[in-house]
């Protein structure tokens, strides 16, 4: 969508350029030094401000995610981290000091940044694993040691980096004497740490956007459907949205995990289907009825885009990726021209009744065990769908990427393809 690209550009401009500019100007005006030294300091400022920004982005700020979506926010988070380490590297190798505390705090912060980025690329993002089956196997084996809980604690080393850089800057006598720079530098630090703390200790602890598990059904040995009775003050959700869900019960990790909505929007309840494959989700069937649930969200742009579109809508689900698409199909059946394509692992479909009802409401249905070939898709899709259709693809990130490429071979343009996989 054009508006998505505009908002993405504005937010990039704000965080990457405008945000560090006051500090750069204040230091360059207030400090008398050679141009080479000032440039080295400027790169250090960029690295620090961008690092503050990535910590802030990790809280999924609503004013950003509502405009560009969570996946684009995560992409920005990762790219800013890479820019930050590049800027920090230029700063490190273009500046020198004989003071041990200045040198050591800077060096330790740089090594920690490097470690955190490498760790994130391997374990927390799909930049490589989404595109390499061999790397996915290696990552899967390593995750037995570097599990989700450990990853959360490693991610918190970001605050050690921030503390080290804060000390590094404040113990440099010449810079510490530039009072307005130091004042704004400290204000930036307090604001961003404060925003993170507000999200984690106030917003995430606020149980108004919450509910309790009212129903838990085993659909297959690997798939569980959970229904949550919503608190009266819980936020309204839209078709195709997803939440970061955390369970508040004994013996259950309280870390939030993303799950897509399968239910038609309701003020009373929300349902999810969950594939039990991870170290956390494989125990999801053991969570007791009545367990309290905190809901961070809802997130998602699908409903906003579909509501504004007059083009044919093609919902392409891969395995349990059908969940948010069923939610959308239920909401817009009979209101828009919709085709639902489902590539499933088993003919023992657990949504037979829902799909039959959708077919009765003029939703075109195509279901196949395993993947559709290019020829099959070419025959299924009509000419108007290929030329103007808006495709919404949901599933595991590697398969989503393959489906996107296959659809492009059929002449479908990049601007017609939409997905919200959470590893970029």
């Amino acid at each position: 969508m054009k508006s998505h690209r505009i908002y993405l550009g504005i937010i990039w401009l704000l965080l990457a350029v405008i945000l560090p500019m006051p500090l750069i100007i204040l230091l360059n005006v207030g400090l008398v030094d050679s141009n080479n030294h000032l440039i080295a300091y400027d790169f250090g400022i960029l690295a620090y401000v961008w690092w503050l920004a990535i910590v802030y982005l990790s809280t999924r700020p609503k004013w950003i995610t509502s405009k560009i979506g969570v996946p684009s926010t995560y992409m920005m988070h990762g790219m800013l981290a890479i820019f930050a380490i590049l800027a920090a590297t230029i700063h490190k190798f273009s500046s020198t000091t004989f003071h041990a505390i200045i040198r050591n705090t800077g060096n330790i912060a740089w090594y920690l940044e490097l470690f955190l980025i490498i760790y994130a690329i391997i374990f927390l993002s799909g930049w490589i694993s989404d595109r390499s089956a061999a790397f996915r196997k290696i990552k899967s084996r390593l995750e037995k040691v570097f599990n989700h809980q450990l990853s959360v604690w490693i991610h918190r080393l970001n605050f050690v980096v921030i503390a080290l850089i804060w000390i590094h800057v404040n113990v440099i006598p010449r810079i510490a004497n530039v009072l307005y720079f130091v004042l704004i530098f400290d204000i930036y630090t307090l604001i961003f740490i404060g925003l993170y703390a507000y999200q984690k200790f106030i917003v995430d602890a606020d149980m108004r956007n919450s509910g309790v598990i009212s129903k838990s059904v085993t659909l297959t040995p690997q798939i569980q459907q959970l229904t949550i009775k919503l608190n009266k003050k819980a936020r309204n959700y839209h078709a195709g949205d997803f939440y970061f869900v955390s369970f508040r019960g004994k013996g259950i990790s309280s870390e939030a995990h993303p799950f897509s909505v399968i239910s038609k929007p309701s003020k009373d309840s929300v349902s999810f289907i969950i594939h039990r494959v991870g170290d956390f989700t494989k125990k999801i069937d053991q969570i007791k009825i009545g367990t309290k649930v905190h809901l961070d969200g809802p997130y998602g742009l699908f409903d906003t885009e579909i509501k504004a579109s007059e083009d044919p809508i093609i919902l392409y689900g891969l395995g349990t990726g059908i969940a948010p698409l069923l939610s959308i199909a239920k909401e817009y059946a009979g209101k828009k021209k919709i085709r639902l394509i489902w590539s499933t692992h088993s003919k023992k479909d657990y949504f037979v009744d829902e799909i039959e009802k959708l077919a009765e409401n003029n939703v075109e249905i195509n279901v196949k065990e395993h993947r559709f070939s290019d020829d099959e898709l070419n025959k299924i899709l009509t000419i108007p769908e290929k030329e103007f259709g808006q495709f919404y693809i949901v599933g595991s990130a590697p398969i989503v990427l393959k489906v996107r490429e296959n659809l492009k071979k059929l002449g479908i343009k990049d601007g017609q393809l939409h997905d919200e996989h959470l590893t970029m």
Side-chain angles (χ1 to χ4, degrees), residues 218-224 276:
T218 300
L219 300 178
T220 76
Q222 290 79 37
I223 297 172
Q224 196 77 13
R276 301 203 309 263

Side-chain angles (χ1 to χ4, degrees), residues 270-328:
V270 60
S271 296
F272 308 95
I273 60 168
I274 300 167
H275 198 188
R276 301 203 309 263
V277 291
D279 58 335
F280 172 80
T281 54
K282 66 183 178 184
K283 299 178 181 178
I284 208 81
D285 61 324
Q286 299 174 22
I287 299 176
K288 296 179 181 179
I289 302 298
T291 298
K292 290 183 178 180
V293 180
H294 180 267
L295 301 169
D296 178 13
Y299 297 97
L301 299 179
F302 283 176
D303 183 73
T304 302
E305 294 172 349
I306 290 171
K307 191 176 292 182
S309 177
E310 297 297 329
D311 298 318
I313 303 299
I314 299 91
L315 307 174
Y316 199 139
L318 304 158
T320 52
I322 192 69
L325 303 182
L326 278 179
S327 173
I328 292 168

